[in-house]
Every structure is written in C-alpha cells, then in structure tokens.
Amino acid sequence: MSDQQPTVVLVHGAFADSASWNGVIERLGAGYPVVAAANPLRGLAGDAAYVRDVMRGIGGPVVLVGHSYGGMVVTAAATDDPSVRALVYVNAFCPDSGESALTLSQKFPGSTLADTLVSYPVSTGGNEVAIGQDAYHQQFAADVPGDLAALMARTQRPVTEQALGEDLSAASPAWRSLPSWFIFGDADRNIPVAAHRFMADRAGPRGSREISGASHAIGVSQPAEVAETIIEAVRGTGG
C-alpha cells in the first residue's frame, strides 16, 4: 500500500450538489487533499464509472465519502479498486449486493420523501425527480437556516428514477473488505434512522456516530462532526 496521503473524494447524493460539501471542506483545512465530485445522478453503474474516472485522475490512494445516494455510488466505485483505502457513509445508503436506494429507504417505516417529490420525463427515457421547492426545507434540511435551505432547493440536482431503483451488482460489496465509518442523524426524513442503524450494524464499521436532531443535510448543518469522522477515517488507514 502506498504511503502517500490519501485524497478525500466527496460524492454528493440526490437533491444536492458538490457545493453541499463546502463547510466540510473548510473544516478539513489544507492538511487534507479533497475533491468534491459532481455526481451525475443518472444511473448507479454510470455514476460509479464516473467516480472511478475521477479517482484515476487523482492517481493515488483515496478515501471515498458518500452522502445519501452517494453511498450507493462509492460502494460500487470501490469494488475491486486497490486505490480505495476506506469508505465513509454520511447519512448514506450502504447497500449489499442486489439492494437499491429505493429498497433500502423502504426497508423501515418513517421516510416522508415520496410525498415531496415532483417527477417529469427526460429525453433519454424514464423520469427524474426533485424535491418540491416548498417542501425542501423541512424534508431535506430542517436544521439549516431558511435562506440557505432555499438556495439549496434552487440548486439541487434531480436524480433519475433509474438511479434510485438500480441494484448494486457487485458480488461482494466493497464495505465487506474495506474499513468503513458512519455518521448519521436521527432526524433524517429521507432515510429512516432505523435504516441507518441497520446498515451501520451490518457493516461493522470502525467508527459510527449518531447525531441527535441532525437532518438529511448533515454535511451542511453539522460540518465539523462530518469532517471529524472523515479525519478519523484518513488517520485510521494510515493517512
């Protein structure tokens, strides 16, 4: 394994963009090289391939960090890639083989996301979905100031229904062979906290934090806590 300092690759999920990591990046400081990838949100296999392209461009070891659907993507992208040293799940899906974001979000009751979504067709086929502007603050970012939540609502990246419904195809998910860390909020309205606890317990992470009152947008509302978890992952893998 290389002694080179790993680059932290941040992968946002649906209804967010790479700027949602700004507070986390600020708190990581100059000591940790960071890239916030622009997740296409078109389909799991293609999105993971894009993240692998980003990793190849970096050309060294990486710690992959996924938020929400981004957890699906980093799990797929890390499969059989020796450059990945660790996985960090930030209010994120951590799938086993054959699981999708949709099936994991419905595994336990409590998500209120479906009622807030608006759907429309895309020219490549199928539909994409976004959170309605009026519902975004309470659904996605209840513990974020209203003016910032309004900006996030306007800059959110829609996701295709295909991406949310696509299963992880890897025979063995990357978290079974790589060290992982988890951080999640108990007030996440997109992914029930019971699902977060289930996924974390199943993965047997080296570290896990549950943040009281944190919304789905935990990287925006609790950037210091998220950065601390990422730093633990980097240090825990020799970086």
Side-chain angles (χ1 to χ4, degrees):
M1 181 179 290
S2 171
D3 292 330
Q4 181 182 348
Q5 168 95 337
T7 296
V8 176
V9 178
L10 305 168
V11 181
H12 67 82
F15 322 123
D17 66 4
S18 54
S20 63
W21 295 110
N22 285 354
V24 174
I25 294 170
E26 289 172 1
R27 285 157 180 81
L28 289 173
Y32 298 90
V34 182
V35 172
N39 188 355
L41 305 176
R42 300 295 89 185
L44 180 56
D47 295 343
Y50 173 73
V51 170
R52 284 193 292 269
D53 289 342
V54 173
M55 291 157 54
R56 280 192 289 270
I58 291 167
V62 300
V63 169
L64 290 179
V65 182
H67 172 246
S68 193
Y69 166 76
M72 299 286 304
V73 176
V74 300
T75 303
T79 300
D80 298 326
D81 192 315
S83 71
V84 183
R85 288 192 176 178
L87 297 164
V88 182
Y89 293 91
V90 180
N91 266 353
F93 294 111
C94 179
D96 205 345
S97 300
E99 292 179 338
S100 69
L102 187 60
T103 57
L104 282 169
S105 68
Q106 296 175 344
K107 191 174 184 69
F108 297 90
S111 175
T112 57
L113 176 63
D115 291 339
T116 71
L117 295 177
V118 293
S119 172
Y120 44 88
V122 290
S123 59
T124 52
N127 297 312
E128 70 175 10
V129 293
I131 298 177
Q133 296 279 322
D134 293 342
Y136 190 96
H137 188 188
Q138 289 304 310
Q139 177 61 40
F140 195 88
D143 56 349
V144 171
D147 56 347
L148 178 55
L151 180 62
M152 292 169 63
R154 288 170 173 80
T155 59
Q156 66 175 298
R157 297 277 303 280
V159 65
T160 65
E161 292 175 347
Q162 174 188 336
L164 296 178
E166 188 172 339
D167 293 342
L168 181 72
S169 62
S172 180
W175 50 263
R176 291 199 183 277
S177 57
L178 290 169
S180 63
W181 278 257
F182 283 70
I183 180 169
F184 54 89
D186 68 2
D188 186 344
R189 297 183 181 181
N190 281 23
I191 306 172
V193 68
H196 287 306
R197 292 168 181 157
F198 165 78
M199 291 183 286
D201 288 346
R202 179 173 67 178
R206 290 196 187 176
S208 182
R209 280 192 178 95
E210 180 174 330
I211 307 301
S212 177
S215 73
H216 191 63
I218 194 172
V220 179
S221 65
Q222 304 286 341
E225 296 277 8
V226 173
E228 185 176 345
T229 299
I230 293 169
I231 290 168
E232 285 179 7
V234 173
R235 291 177 175 171
T237 53

